[in-house]
Each structure stands twice: as C-alpha cells, then as structure tokens.
Amino acid sequence: MRRAIFPGTFDPFTIGHSSVINRALTFIDEIVIGIGINENKNTYFPTEKREDMIRNLYRNEPRIIVQSYDCLTIDFAKQMNANLIIRGIRTVKDFEYEETIADINRKLTGIETILLFTEPELTCVSSTTVRELLKYGKDISMFIPEGMEI
C-alpha cells in the first residue's frame, strides 16, 4: 500500500490544497493530511478547528486521515508508516525551497517527496492571502473547497 503524508499548516485549507489531494488520490492509496503545529506561526484557526474542518470535508473519503503533529515531518511520516511526502508547488520560489527539504528528507530517511505543480488557475491562492482576507471580513468562499465549513 502506498501511503503518503501531505504536510502543512492549512490555516486555512484552500482549493489549492484540495486540488493536490484529489490529484494525488489518483496514484496514492492513502493520504495522511498532517497538520503541523508550529509555535512560531501566528495561526488564525486553532489546530483543533483546522482538524475538524478538514476531517468534515473528507468525512466520506476513507482513504484520507487527518492528524496533527508536533515533530519533524519525516518523523511524523515514520510514525504514520508513510513512505512518501506530497507537496504542492505554486512558484519557482516554492520549488527551490521544497527541493532542498526533499533532498534532506531523502538523505536522512530515504522517504521520497512527490511535487505536484498547482493548476495554473490556482497559483494565486495561498493560505496566507486567504487568512488576510478573513482578517478583514472578506468573503473567502471562492478560495476554500465547496462544503468546507469555516
């Protein structure tokens, strides 16, 4: 069985994230959406709320597991018996960062990273931007998956 983790802060989970998940499910048997806990980040939603929103979104998809973690991503992958890491790439800057992390992860553990490029129409969607819109009371419904309750 091919189990992958899809790590991130997901504050909030966007249509870009769901696009990566949906595409990865075409070649991965099971995906663990790993919500990383990073004390240095000022998040909009508490971890529990993010877990609940994503679990509810995928409640009818048995191949999705949602779990938060507070350790290195490669250690979380080992805990979850995942042999792959899935990452979405929007920009060249994202690619350069992810390539470095993927190389280190592979050297330390042998865990491979699969990079999925964002669909062109979604390159402008980021959690940071959506979070900023939320702060100012703007409607974010076009940037979050249909059926996800904020």
Side-chain angles (χ1 to χ4, degrees):
M1 179 170 90
R2 288 173 303 218
R3 176 183 282 171
I5 61 165
F6 180 45
T9 307
F10 306 117
D11 186 40
F13 192 82
T14 69
I15 55 176
H17 297 128
S18 66
S19 171
V20 169
I21 292 286
N22 294 338
R23 292 166 49 213
L25 283 173
T26 66
F27 58 89
I28 300 293
D29 299 314
E30 190 172 72
I31 298 175
V32 179
I33 299 174
I35 303 171
I37 299 170
N38 185 339
E39 300 299 327
N40 296 324
K41 284 193 173 184
N42 291 323
T43 56
Y44 188 87
F45 294 104
T47 304
E48 298 77 25
K49 173 71 172 169
R50 286 178 274 149
E51 283 184 54
D52 290 344
M53 288 188 296
I54 300 169
R55 270 196 196 106
N56 186 47
L57 181 64
Y58 289 105
R59 68 185 170 280
N60 296 321
E61 177 49 77
R63 299 182 302 154
I64 298 288
I65 297 166
V66 180
Q67 179 74 45
S68 60
Y69 67 99
D70 188 14
C71 58
L72 287 175
T73 297
I74 53 173
D75 292 336
F76 177 65
K78 285 186 200 175
Q79 290 170 16
M80 299 305 294
N81 296 314
N83 51 7
L84 296 166
I85 297 171
I86 303 287
R87 296 295 291 162
I89 301 294
R90 290 180 305 119
T91 65
V92 171
K93 184 178 171 185
D94 287 350
F95 177 80
E96 290 172 346
Y97 172 78
E98 294 297 342
E99 179 186 29
T100 301
I101 299 300
D103 287 345
I104 289 170
N105 289 344
R106 187 176 50 256
K107 285 179 197 275
L108 289 174
T109 64
I111 294 174
E112 291 288 349
T113 300
I114 296 172
L115 303 176
L116 293 178
F117 292 93
T118 301
E119 295 171 273
E121 65 274 13
L122 300 179
T123 58
C124 68
V125 179
S126 72
S127 290
T128 302
T129 304
V130 175
R131 202 169 41 250
E132 188 76 7
L133 293 171
L134 268 172
K135 280 187 203 177
Y136 290 98
K138 299 298 182 190
D139 178 14
I140 61 161
S141 60
M142 72 176 82
F143 303 115
I144 61 172
E146 189 174 322
M148 190 169 93
E149 296 176 19
I150 295 283

